[in-house]
Amino acid sequence: MSPRPAGISAAATHRLMARGIAAFALLLLIQASGSLLAQTPFMAWWWNAVFLFGFLAVFALAFILAMCGRETTALVATAAALVLLGYATWPLAAPAPLPEGSGPPWSWAMINVGAAWCAYAAGTRIAGAYTVLLGVLFALVRASPTGGGADFSTALQDALLATVMGLVIVMAIGILRQAAARSDAAAQHAVDEYRAAAHQGALRSERARFDALLHDSVMTVLLAASGLQAPGSRARNAKLARSAIERLEDGGRTAPGSRAVAPAELEARIRFANDTGHGTMALDVAPAAGDGTGIPAEVARALFEACTEAVTNARRHAAAARCQVSLECRGHGERARVRLLVIDDGKGFDPDAVPARRLGIKVSITGRMDSVGGHGRIESRPGRGTAVQLLWEASSGEGERA
């Protein structure tokens, strides 16, 4: 059996195909119900036990699970095998000829369904061979007295028609799977490129900061040293050089993530950037709580951007009437801990059902927190609103950057 697709689009297509094939099989089974009821009393008991009642039980369970969105690959593979074996054993179980007025063998209706089930469970190549083999069996049974005793040309035409239709179904399922797999690959490639671009942007920003530091300190020393050697200039140049070295060392120690931003300042940034003063959603930003003295600038920026994305999602997508933001900063130095909570009363959603190509949560919220050694957690249910928790601890953040 083929493995269950892992991508979002491929998994959705997998579930949709299961439901479509189940509905298709049910319609054809209903269409053949007249022949089924008329022929069952004349069939061998062992054939009815395995290939009628056993088949119907497997089909019913697969149909229910497919409509509920559950995995049905094993059941569908079993049903496809029963269709093939049922055809192979039909001449041993059916009377010759079939009773007058009972119609054609009812299992004829399951030929194309068996091909679809095999394609769903085992893939295109195996399903193609399965369909051809089923067509050959169909021709043999169709020409036998138990299958109607058709002449060779009629049996061949009927078998070719059934085989071609089955192969078309098999190819259609294969094309849908390939398209879904390409969609997932393109989405993952876009996410990877987005992350690479963000990484390159961070590198450019750090290089610009370091270039400015070099220009302000080192170039000043070099220009002073290249000037005229006036009395006392050597001592002044030495002092400038010593100051430049100290600034470079301090610049290496005090990376952007270690410069402090006051919790009240971060709170003010969040309020100013998100409280637009218009629209239907009321934003409530509580005063910063806790005893912390400062938040590293890199962490404050990640918190601010992730919070802004969460508030924007509540306003645009959740149709929330109210959104509450609270910030808590406790501890100092290696014991610093920052917690930011965004709660809205919107329509909510299922986080597990968000497609991978949607970057609002994966990159703009949790990804931003991951980049500074923190983490983001989203709790939501349809109709129950959404709670976004952003947490950063100094020990975990420093370990992440080390």
Side-chain angles (χ1 to χ4, degrees):
M1 293 184 294
S2 61
R4 184 175 182 175
I8 297 295
S9 297
T13 302
H14 190 70
R15 289 193 298 269
L16 182 61
M17 284 192 300
R19 292 171 180 169
I21 295 172
F24 176 56
L26 179 62
L27 289 175
L28 292 182
L29 198 58
I30 292 174
Q31 183 181 11
S33 60
S35 298
L36 187 153
L37 294 174
Q39 294 165 13
T40 296
F42 303 99
M43 301 294 294
W45 67 268
W46 55 268
W47 196 95
N48 282 335
V50 177
F51 300 107
L52 174 59
F53 300 114
F55 169 80
L56 292 178
V58 172
F59 166 74
L61 184 57
F63 181 87
I64 294 172
L65 292 179
M67 293 305 167
C68 294
R70 304 289 295 277
E71 180 58 42
T72 61
T73 301
L75 288 172
V76 162
T78 302
L82 289 175
V83 170
L84 181 65
L85 294 176
Y87 260 101
T89 56
W90 177 273
L92 303 177
L98 287 173
E100 190 72 24
S102 64
W106 69 266
S107 57
W108 289 7
M110 295 292 104
I111 292 179
N112 293 330
V113 175
W117 277 333
C118 188
Y120 176 86
T124 304
R125 293 184 178 180
I126 295 178
Y130 171 95
T131 303
V132 172
L133 178 59
L134 198 57
V136 172
L137 288 176
F138 175 76
L140 296 175
V141 173
R142 183 78 175 89
S144 69
T146 58
D151 58 78
F152 177 77
S153 61
T154 301
L156 182 61
Q157 290 176 5
D158 291 345
L160 285 175
L161 177 62
T163 303
V164 170
M165 291 182 63
L167 290 175
V168 169
I169 294 173
V170 169
M171 288 188 292
I173 292 175
I175 291 172
L176 285 175
R177 278 186 167 154
Q178 290 179 359
R182 285 195 296 267
S183 176
D184 286 328
Q188 186 60 46
H189 181 67
V191 172
D192 293 340
E193 286 192 339
Y194 185 94
R195 288 174 174 168
H199 178 69
Q200 291 299 322
L203 287 177
R204 285 194 296 268
S205 177
E206 183 62 18
R207 286 168 183 163
R209 184 184 73 87
F210 192 69
D211 289 345
L213 181 61
L214 286 175
H215 180 272
D216 293 344
S217 301
V218 178
M219 290 301 296
T220 301
V221 175
L222 293 176
L223 290 173
S226 65
L228 296 176
Q229 297 298 321
S233 62
R234 178 171 296 183
R236 287 194 299 270
N237 291 343
K239 186 177 180 180
L240 285 173
R242 195 178 305 112
S243 176
I245 292 173
E246 290 175 355
R247 290 193 63 187
L248 286 174
E249 292 177 348
D250 184 65
R253 288 193 301 266
T254 58
S258 61
R259 296 193 298 272
V261 173
E265 180 183 349
L266 177 57
E267 170 212 323
R269 290 183 190 177
I270 293 172
R271 179 182 289 105
F272 177 79
N274 294 285
D275 194 359
T276 60
H278 62 272
T280 58
M281 189 184 78
L283 179 65
D284 180 14
V285 182
D291 55 0
T293 58
I295 306 169
E298 185 180 0
V299 176
R301 181 168 58 251
L303 288 166
F304 169 76
E305 293 174 350
C307 175
T308 299
E309 181 70 22
V311 173
T312 301
N313 287 343
R315 179 181 288 115
R316 292 182 179 177
H317 306 301
R322 188 176 187 83
C323 182
Q324 296 176 309
V325 179
S326 60
L327 173 65
E328 182 182 24
C329 181
R330 297 190 179 278
H332 310 278
E334 295 183 356
R335 297 184 178 182
R337 185 176 187 272
V338 184
R339 178 176 177 269
L340 194 152
L341 191 61
V342 182
I343 301 176
D344 69 68
D345 61 355
K347 58 186 179 182
F349 66 100
D350 181 5
D352 295 332
V354 176
R357 63 176 62 90
R358 297 291 296 273
L359 306 181
I361 292 177
K362 187 174 184 179
V363 174
S364 299
I365 296 180
T366 58
R368 281 193 172 112
M369 295 307 300
D370 291 341
S371 67
V372 295
H375 69 271
R377 185 174 65 186
I378 291 87
E379 296 180 355
S380 183
R381 285 191 299 170
R384 297 296 182 89
T386 301
V388 178
Q389 178 178 258
L390 309 175
L391 183 64
W392 178 85
E393 295 180 347
S395 57
S396 61
E398 291 172 1
E400 183 74 17
R401 291 191 295 272

